[in-house]
Amino acid sequence: MEPQPTPRPRGRGIYLLPNLFTTGGLFAGFYAIIAATQGRFDEACMAIFIAAILDGVDGRVARLTNTQSEFGVQYDSLADLISFGLAPAMVMYHWALISTKLDGVIPGKIGWVGAFVYAACAALRLARFNSQVGQVDKRWFIGLASPAAAGLVASFVWTCHSFDLDGERLRYAALALTVIAGLLMVSRLRYVSFKGSGPRNDRVPFLAVLIVVVVVVAIAIDPPRVLLAIFAPYALSGPVQALWRRMRRTPQEPPPPSQTGAP
């Protein structure tokens, strides 16, 4: 028998297709920062949501084409830091938080510190997620996911801007939302991931598909308000579920004894 040729060693290249989607998300986040600095907040918010869509696509493309790699994981995490950490913080800063300097030197510093807190929390959230891959239940996110936090911030700015609400008047409400969104990312609260826990969960009922279609149509009709109506309740679901579980675990106090004797 003729000897079989030895296979050539696999090159250390990178997979093009999934990383193209990641690069597209990175570009969208970068564009959001540029648009925010120029006062084009509608375009900045739309760019953040485009980055979120591309972020959801690149991982699925990698799994479907069997092109997962450690490079892709790290590149995706760095792109997410720009698109869902730095970009929303800069959009919120240029829309509202920059106006805190009108109240004095100290409030002016609080404005950019609030934006930095959000960006730092997004970095910590991504680092924690990467370090715990394979150790947590895939049905849940521990802490608000950075794309959801970015969606909350961007939809708030987009909705207010569509109503011609000036960020200068809402600067402290915007500051509170920015800091709360950042703290939710690094919290230990559980959020539904909608990923399921195995191959069987890839199949969804017909009603779920119908709901998705209705939501997509509603977003196409009125994007800012529908997106805010989606992301705000989702951000609140973590604290509400934690409070509900805590109330169920708390034993009820026995009723006070009757003060009157037997008849």
Side-chain angles (χ1 to χ4, degrees):
M1 297 179 61
E2 297 182 359
Q4 296 293 331
T6 56
R8 298 180 60 183
R10 193 173 185 177
R12 291 181 172 268
I14 61 174
Y15 296 108
L16 180 62
L17 185 58
N19 290 307
L20 278 178
F21 287 99
T22 305
T23 303
L26 176 61
F27 174 79
F30 179 78
Y31 180 83
I33 296 174
I34 298 299
T37 60
Q38 298 175 352
R40 296 180 284 120
F41 298 109
D42 287 345
E43 297 180 19
C45 295
M46 282 189 284
I48 291 176
F49 285 110
I50 291 173
I53 294 173
L54 294 175
D55 179 66
V57 170
D58 59 0
R60 295 183 181 275
V61 169
R63 288 190 293 270
L64 288 174
T65 58
N66 195 24
T67 53
Q68 305 99 317
S69 65
E70 184 62 25
F71 174 87
V73 172
Q74 299 302 325
Y75 183 38
D76 181 71
S77 181
L78 292 173
D80 288 351
L81 179 58
I82 301 297
S83 300
F84 310 129
L86 189 58
M90 295 300 294
V91 170
M92 185 64 87
Y93 177 76
H94 285 284
W95 179 70
L97 301 184
I98 194 173
S99 300
T100 56
K101 65 182 181 181
L102 300 176
D103 300 321
V105 178
I106 300 301
K109 293 181 179 179
I110 293 176
W112 65 259
V113 166
F116 172 75
V117 167
Y118 177 91
C121 289
L124 293 171
R125 170 69 176 80
L126 291 167
R128 185 178 68 183
F129 177 80
N130 290 343
S131 64
Q132 294 179 348
V133 171
Q135 302 177 9
V136 296
D137 192 340
K138 292 185 178 181
R139 295 174 300 174
W140 307 95
F141 290 129
I142 305 302
L144 184 64
S146 57
L152 175 63
V153 171
S155 61
F156 176 79
V157 174
W158 198 0
T159 300
C160 293
H161 191 67
S162 66
F163 281 111
D164 294 327
L165 296 176
D166 192 2
E168 180 180 333
R169 291 180 293 172
L170 299 175
R171 54 188 179 273
Y172 289 107
L175 176 63
L177 178 70
T178 304
V179 174
I180 290 173
L183 295 178
L184 287 176
M185 282 191 284
V186 296
S187 69
R188 301 297 300 178
L189 299 173
R190 293 198 311 177
Y191 287 87
V192 179
S193 68
F194 302 105
K195 291 182 178 180
S197 57
R200 295 181 179 179
N201 297 99
D202 292 337
R203 297 183 179 182
V204 295
F206 177 77
L207 180 60
V209 177
L210 182 61
I211 292 175
V212 170
V213 172
V214 172
V215 170
V216 170
V217 172
I219 292 175
I221 295 174
D222 192 352
R225 277 166 278 193
V226 173
L227 289 170
L228 181 61
I230 293 173
F231 285 102
Y234 180 73
L236 290 173
S237 66
V240 170
Q241 289 182 18
L243 182 60
W244 173 251
R245 289 194 299 267
R246 189 167 186 176
M247 291 176 60
R248 292 186 63 183
R249 287 197 302 263
T250 303
Q252 297 182 356
E253 296 182 0
S258 175
Q259 301 296 326
T260 59

